Amino acid sequence: MITFKEAYNSVLQHTVDYGTEQVLLKDAVGRVLSVDIKADRDFPPFNRATKDGIALSFSAINDGQSLFKIEAVIPAGNPTIELKDKTACVEIMTGAVVPKSTDVVVMYEDVVIHNGFAKLQKQPVKGQNIHIKGSDELKGATVLRKNTLITAAEIGVLSAVGAAKVWVKKLPKITTIATGNELVEVAEVPLPHQIRKSNINSLYAALLNEHILAQTLHLKDSKEAIKDALEVALKTNDVLLLSGGVSKGKFDFLPIALEELGVEKVFHKVLQRPGKPFWFGVHKATNTVIFSFPGNPASTFANYHIYFKPWLNKSLGLTVSNNYVILNEELDNKGSLTLFLRVKVTFINGKLLANRIIENGSGDLTSLANCDGFICIAPNKNSYNKGTLVPFIQTRRLL
């Protein structure tokens, strides 16, 4: 049995680059850029008015002029014009091209317009209310770096540079697999000795958050049936996420079935709770990575976030970040297992404070819906004082 740190490092040593693909801009949200994105023009591409008002030449103001004849009205979207008379002005709308020979925009609130003339009410500053051409980025500049997670902000940038199609990192093809004769479909009424499938649906939903549409599979507790199904799954998937069948029970056939199929075991069993029987391996013939989680709901849920998500992020070129929260109570861990405790996080006075959620072991499913994530409590320590900073594995978006 290995330590949590050994298991975690082993998983991250087996990341895989799945190549790249091109997707439509509308489908790029949540994906990871596989190339640098460069500006195809200056940004902004012209001197742009940032206020509704009048545009004029500051030299006329320096000469003491305060009353200006209005030559034209310029809406956004019109081509560039030139101010014909430097002692005149033009009305201009936000987003419009600032005319040649003008270098200041005075907003309507600071002028009075009457009978075709605009009179200044306060002294402007040269260059005010003008977004200068190329002041954000020059043509050819890198505006987005490869390995960037595409959010709504990046979609705006990609749109501005004309990226109707985007090169992104390919996502792995994944099947989630549940084992056990006791499992029935969600729509069924279970008999007293049965339970509805939950882990496989939790994994499916978690993968949707990563923009991965997984296949699902339920295997009965038969060694041959498991082996036959796994043989097909290994050939048609990049990753298998399994739940159940990896402990020491007489019907836990997964380890031996995987071994007989030529899957190389990297490790089996970790000094942690929940998720101690976690099995991890690689099928080199198909380059398939196998995460085989214990069947208890908390074990599957915790190990997905503790191991699989960092593995996926690293495989996609994203930074594997370490998050921390502040304990809002005292805790201890005198045992030899790394503990992953369910917590509720609150934001108070600029600090993220974590309080433990009372739960009823690895099989307690409902407590997972009440927690924001897990804190990692190292083994063989007498106590953690209130106010201690501890690692935090987030499982839901924090408000």
Side-chain angles (χ1 to χ4, degrees):
M1 198 175 308
I2 62 175
T3 66
F4 158 65
K5 287 185 177 180
E6 290 171 331
Y8 183 82
N9 289 333
S10 292
V11 168
L12 293 190
Q13 287 170 7
H14 288 83
T15 53
V16 181
D17 184 345
Y18 293 104
T20 63
E21 64 180 347
Q22 199 174 40
V23 299
L24 294 175
L25 178 65
K26 68 180 182 64
D27 298 323
V29 179
R31 303 295 297 271
V32 178
L33 275 175
S34 62
V35 294
D36 290 342
I37 301 295
K38 297 185 182 298
D40 65 333
R41 64 201 301 213
D42 291 341
F43 282 91
F46 50 81
N47 289 344
R48 174 183 172 273
T50 62
K51 293 286 192 298
D52 297 324
I54 62 170
L56 60 154
S57 171
F58 194 75
S59 62
I61 298 172
N62 271 345
D63 291 339
Q65 188 177 338
S66 62
L67 185 66
F68 299 85
K69 183 180 179 180
I70 299 171
E71 280 189 357
V73 178
I74 308 172
N78 273 24
T80 305
I81 67 168
E82 184 170 3
L83 185 67
K84 297 174 182 177
D85 182 352
K86 291 187 179 181
T87 65
C89 71
V90 298
E91 289 188 67
I92 192 166
M93 306 301 122
T94 300
V97 181
V98 176
K100 296 175 183 178
S101 304
T102 67
D103 51 12
V104 61
V105 172
V106 182
M107 61 183 179
Y108 279 132
E109 290 85 344
D110 294 333
V111 299
V112 172
I113 294 177
H114 183 66
N115 289 336
F117 285 84
K119 184 175 179 58
L120 300 182
Q121 298 299 293
K122 63 186 292 188
Q123 183 75 8
V125 176
K126 184 177 181 179
Q128 73 179 31
N129 302 324
I130 298 176
H131 195 180
I132 300 298
K133 177 183 178 182
S135 60
D136 293 345
E137 300 288 352
L138 295 174
K139 181 179 179 179
T142 299
V143 291
L144 293 174
R145 298 283 182 186
K146 67 180 295 186
N147 298 337
T148 295
L149 181 66
I150 301 171
T151 68
E154 285 75 23
I155 289 293
V157 176
L158 290 165
S159 300
V161 301
K165 294 183 179 180
V166 186
W167 283 101
V168 296
K169 298 288 187 73
K170 274 187 179 179
L171 297 167
K173 185 177 181 182
I174 298 178
T175 290
T176 63
I177 303 174
T179 64
N181 293 339
E182 74 277 17
L183 301 177
V184 298
E185 296 297 332
V186 173
E188 293 185 39
V189 177
L191 298 173
H193 61 280
Q194 296 175 322
I195 57 174
R196 296 184 178 96
K197 299 173 185 177
S198 60
N199 288 350
I200 196 171
N201 291 323
S202 292
L203 290 174
Y204 180 88
L207 289 168
L208 281 181
N209 288 333
E210 309 302 326
H211 298 267
I212 297 173
L213 185 62
Q215 298 297 312
T216 60
L217 189 62
H218 174 212
L219 306 180
K220 296 290 187 177
D221 289 326
S222 159
K223 180 186 171 184
E224 290 309 313
I226 288 174
K227 186 176 176 181
D228 289 345
L230 287 179
E231 186 173 16
V232 175
L234 288 169
K235 294 176 181 177
T236 55
N237 288 275
D238 300 309
V239 178
L240 300 182
L241 295 182
L242 298 103
S243 176
V246 290
S247 296
K248 286 188 175 181
K250 291 187 176 181
F251 295 94
D252 290 335
F253 298 121
L254 279 177
I256 185 63
L258 289 167
E259 180 182 349
E260 291 180 2
L261 289 169
V263 178
E264 177 186 315
K265 180 183 72 176
V266 178
F267 62 79
H268 184 196
K269 297 183 181 178
V270 184
L271 289 164
Q272 69 175 66
R273 182 185 300 131
K276 184 178 176 182
F278 175 33
W279 190 102
F280 178 75
V282 178
H283 190 239
K284 292 185 177 179
T286 58
N287 202 30
T288 306
V289 181
I290 299 93
F291 294 80
S292 196
F293 303 137
N296 284 321
S299 299
T300 291
F301 193 73
N303 279 352
Y304 171 89
H305 290 90
I306 294 165
Y307 294 103
F308 174 78
K309 280 201 68 175
W311 175 89
L312 179 64
N313 286 341
K314 188 178 177 185
S315 291
L316 296 175
L318 296 173
T319 300
V320 178
S321 59
N322 297 313
N323 299 318
Y324 294 86
V325 290
I326 299 170
L327 279 180
N328 203 31
E329 58 187 303
E330 290 188 359
L331 293 173
D332 62 52
N333 182 16
K334 299 177 183 179
S336 61
L337 303 180
T338 297
L339 302 181
F340 293 97
L341 305 179
R342 280 153 264 192
V343 294
K344 191 73 177 175
V345 174
T346 52
F347 190 72
I348 300 175
N349 297 326
K351 298 178 180 179
L352 286 174
L353 305 180
N355 285 92
R356 185 177 180 183
I357 288 179
I358 301 303
E359 37 83 6
N360 193 30
S362 297
D364 184 354
L365 180 62
T366 56
S367 67
L368 297 175
N370 298 322
C371 77
D372 295 314
F374 297 86
I375 54 172
C376 178
I377 301 299
N380 304 315
K381 292 196 175 184
N382 290 327
S383 65
Y384 283 79
N385 296 325
K386 181 178 179 179
T388 302
L389 202 64
V390 293
F392 175 60
I393 298 95
Q394 187 174 328
T395 60
R396 71 167 72 242
R397 186 172 65 180
L398 301 179
L399 299 178

